[in-house]
Amino acid sequence: VQLQASGGGLVQPGGSRRLSCIASGTIWYINFMGWYRQAPGKEREKVAMIRMSGGTADYADSVKGRFTISRDEVKSTVSLEMNSLNAEDTAVYYCNANVRKYYDDPLQDYWGKGTLVTVSS
């Protein structure tokens, strides 16, 4: 299972950015997809996750009301729309997927390579 993330870059404070991630490879079923981030000197934290079937989403308190996660179940993609960005959002953002590769496999977590979002003027 491969996760390809895109959309990172430099954005000004108060600005917006959209991250996208597509899952590919041997996939029977994706339970959740979403995003974690790791800021310099800090531990990795969950940002937002979404259940692929049904679309139930969960957000970190720090991003509620500013970030919106969405998914395309057919295309195995997840996107994160980030608004009102501030310096504390600067981090490497990692795509995560909870996947069953074959029908009788257990669910496992997979990670993409991070994409850096820098919020700075």
Side-chain angles (χ1 to χ4, degrees):
V1 176
Q2 295 81 42
L3 300 178
Q4 182 66 48
S6 61
L10 177 65
V11 60
Q12 292 190 340
S16 298
R17 198 79 180 181
R18 183 179 179 89
L19 304 181
S20 294
C21 178
I22 182 167
S24 62
T26 302
I27 297 172
W28 176 262
Y29 168 72
I30 302 177
N31 190 20
F32 290 95
M33 286 187 76
W35 299 91
Y36 283 67
R37 69 185 180 185
Q38 188 166 17
K42 294 187 177 181
E43 294 186 354
R44 189 175 296 190
E45 64 173 355
K46 183 175 70 176
V47 176
M49 298 296 290
I50 189 166
R51 185 181 291 275
M52 297 301 278
S53 177
T56 303
D58 180 49
Y59 296 91
D61 287 343
S62 59
V63 307
K64 283 180 180 177
R66 299 188 300 122
F67 291 12
T68 302
I69 190 169
S70 59
R71 96 285 185 221
D72 185 322
E73 188 176 8
V74 174
K75 295 181 179 179
S76 299
T77 61
V78 64
S79 296
L80 186 68
E81 185 71 33
M82 306 184 292
N83 298 313
S84 303
L85 287 162
N86 57 62
E88 293 183 347
D89 297 313
T90 295
V92 177
Y93 285 73
Y94 296 91
C95 181
N96 170 263
N98 186 247
V99 174
R100 180 173 285 125
K101 292 183 65 175
Y102 300 97
Y103 77 97
D104 58 350
D105 272 2
L107 287 164
Q108 287 187 297
D109 279 338
Y110 293 87
W111 296 89
K113 295 180 181 180
T115 185
L116 176 63
V117 175
T118 303
V119 183
S120 175
S121 55

